Amino acid sequence: MRKVVVVDGFRTPLCKEGTDFRETDAEVLGAWVVREMITRCHRWNLPLETIDCVLGSNVATPMHAVNPTRVAAVTGGLPATIPADTVAGKNCGSGVTALYYASLRIRSGDADTVLVIGMEAMSRIPIVYNQTVADLLLQYGKARSLRERTVGALALIPKLLNLKRYPPRVGLVMGLTDPMCDLIMGQTAENIAKDPSLSITRQDQDAFSIRSHRLAAQAWKDKIFADEVVPMYVPERSTYVDRDNGIREDAGQETFRDVKPLFDKRHGSVTPANSSQITDAAAAVLLMEEDKAISLGLPILGYVKHYADFGYEPACMGLAPVGAIAKVLSKARLTLKDFSVFEINEAFASVVLGISRILDSSSLMERKFGRYGWTERLGEIPLDNLNPHGGAIALGHPVGVSGLRLAMTSLFELKRRNAERALISACVGGGQGVAMILERK
């Protein structure tokens, strides 16, 4: 079987919603990383026509660019003859799934070289008018005479200003709410935190979150993220953005304990401080068939190996990675002891804590996943190997980009450790999980 290598990968800084990238659309973020990859191709003397196709990951699809990957590829400078497609339906798992789909095209012989990009502009998710107001706006737009415009305005303006009776809906909240269980993602995290069998306390969640911030802050101090982060120029602000802006240098119990629960204000323990950040960013990864990369003298950062996804209960979607991890280990005939690095997306602290505790307990595996055929513990994930430079709680979670970030961060960490194998995983809104194995050799 043809082997799939990662030639290179990088990302923009991850910026909190409403900050540095707030005026930048998703396809523009994507075009940024396409231009950077083009620069690297020129450095390697690699003709752009070598790229057979572009696969992208984007969840909050811009209404003006329904295939943002194609727009980003062409406006970023790739020839229009290179086709491009967008993976959107896997929500937070879209980035990992895009890598998998790209690897399938290469393994099948359909392509030799695939550029995978991820882009997410969560700051740009629109607010949706109440349907009554929307209908009146459309009617006003169709008015032809002065009389029709006057009548339309008189009907529209009072309702447009009456936000209490005709409230607009926040698109971001709509997107983060699962229509199958009618719960916003934070409420599904509360379900995990409140599960007595998992014994997850508020203190546990805050401690894990503080660890994420401290590790991420230290990684920047040690210039570890210099390998994967490319500064980006923001023309709207006439400035360069060169680092992630959501990391709290002051993270500690004293700063986190006063943050109030958001999703269950009376009895909850999931807070903004122990949840991932809403973020804007983009990333790119160049995949190639191994023999071709070697013949062209290109660097090889690692290999894309096995992938698995798994469906679980939507109301506890954060536990679905347990099933995906079990499946991918079975496919690869490996155990958790065979991995040096684990990157599990920190959608919420309760999610990663719940996953870790179930994996390390036969009784919990049988209780939560016995009906799927798994009753034995898979093992412990050593804390030093889990998200060793922080995760989405500190860095942010641009949903269409996070999967690519997990892959890049883990591969660069394998290189630093001179280690062989990494496992990445993420929960997916709607009750799914994804997992992928990456190797250095």
Side-chain angles (χ1 to χ4, degrees), residues 345-416:
N345 191 44
E346 296 174 355
F348 301 91
S350 64
V351 163
V352 185
L353 292 171
I355 292 168
S356 300
R357 291 179 185 185
I358 294 171
L359 289 173
D360 196 30
S361 168
S362 292
S363 62
L364 288 174
M365 279 294 288
E366 183 170 11
R367 176 178 296 189
K368 302 295 184 184
F369 290 87
R371 60 186 177 277
Y372 305 106
W374 293 300
T375 59
E376 300 296 326
R377 68 184 286 270
L378 296 180
E380 178 186 8
I381 296 179
L383 195 58
D384 288 346
N385 297 339
L386 173 62
N387 302 354
H389 303 300
I393 289 172
L395 299 171
H397 179 22
V399 287
V401 179
S402 291
L404 299 185
R405 187 198 69 78
L406 296 174
M408 284 183 295
T409 301
S410 61
L411 284 172
F412 282 117
E413 184 63 12
L414 287 178
K415 182 179 179 180
R416 278 186 289 271

Side-chain angles (χ1 to χ4, degrees), residues 10-25:
F10 54 86
R11 64 175 176 87
T12 70
L14 306 183
C15 295
K16 293 178 69 173
E17 175 204 20
T19 61
D20 293 306
F21 295 156
R22 66 183 181 273
E23 297 167 328
T24 309
D25 288 320

Side-chain angles (χ1 to χ4, degrees), residues 57-303:
S57 168
N58 171 256
V59 177
T61 305
M63 289 180 288
H64 61 276
V66 293
N67 185 0
T69 305
R70 173 64 174 173
V71 178
V74 175
T75 60
L78 288 177
T81 52
I82 299 175
D85 195 10
T86 304
V87 177
K90 205 74 169 187
N91 293 340
C92 307
S94 295
V96 179
T97 304
L99 284 172
Y100 173 60
Y101 289 167
S103 72
L104 285 181
R105 294 197 68 170
I106 294 172
R107 287 193 182 100
S108 70
D110 183 53
D112 289 330
T113 307
V114 182
L115 173 59
V116 183
I117 65 174
M119 65 219 109
E120 206 67 66
M122 302 185 80
S123 294
R124 307 292 287 172
I125 298 175
I127 291 175
V128 181
Y129 279 117
N130 176 279
Q131 189 60 52
T132 299
V133 175
D135 290 343
L136 290 170
L137 278 167
L138 289 173
Q139 290 176 20
Y140 182 79
K142 295 176 182 178
R144 295 183 178 180
S145 67
L146 176 61
R147 182 179 179 279
E148 287 176 341
R149 288 195 295 271
T150 302
V151 171
L154 290 173
L156 169 63
I157 292 173
K159 293 180 175 61
L160 191 62
L161 298 177
N162 191 346
L163 298 180
K164 186 174 182 179
R165 186 172 179 181
Y166 304 99
R169 301 183 67 187
V170 179
L172 178 62
V173 174
M174 294 169 65
L176 293 175
T177 302
D178 185 344
M180 291 178 285
C181 60
D182 198 29
L183 297 175
I184 197 168
M185 292 299 99
Q187 292 171 312
T188 71
E190 280 284 9
N191 287 343
I192 296 170
K194 291 175 180 175
D195 187 331
S197 68
L198 296 176
S199 303
I200 298 172
T201 67
R202 165 72 185 268
Q203 289 71 28
D204 293 337
Q205 295 172 71
D206 285 354
F208 183 84
S209 303
I210 292 164
R211 170 186 181 269
S212 183
H213 281 277
R214 289 178 175 173
L215 289 172
Q218 190 62 48
W220 273 108
K221 288 179 183 177
D222 295 340
K223 300 183 179 179
I224 285 174
F225 287 139
D227 289 334
E228 65 183 77
V229 177
V230 175
M232 288 295 168
Y233 179 72
V234 185
E236 294 85 358
R237 306 183 68 214
S238 300
T239 186
Y240 275 93
V241 179
D242 60 3
R243 65 171 289 163
D244 310 315
N245 70 7
I247 302 168
R248 294 190 59 171
E249 304 276 352
D250 65 341
Q253 286 291 349
E254 62 282 358
T255 55
F256 276 42
R257 67 187 172 203
D258 293 331
V259 182
K260 304 298 183 185
L262 180 61
F263 306 102
D264 180 352
K265 298 183 187 303
R266 293 188 63 186
H267 307 292
S269 60
V270 178
T271 73
N274 56 44
S275 306
S276 60
Q277 301 173 34
I278 297 167
T279 313
D280 308 321
V285 175
L286 186 64
L287 301 184
M288 190 174 286
E289 192 274 325
E290 180 188 37
D291 290 340
K292 182 161 190 172
I294 292 172
S295 69
L296 292 171
L298 296 174
I300 294 178
L301 184 59
Y303 290 76

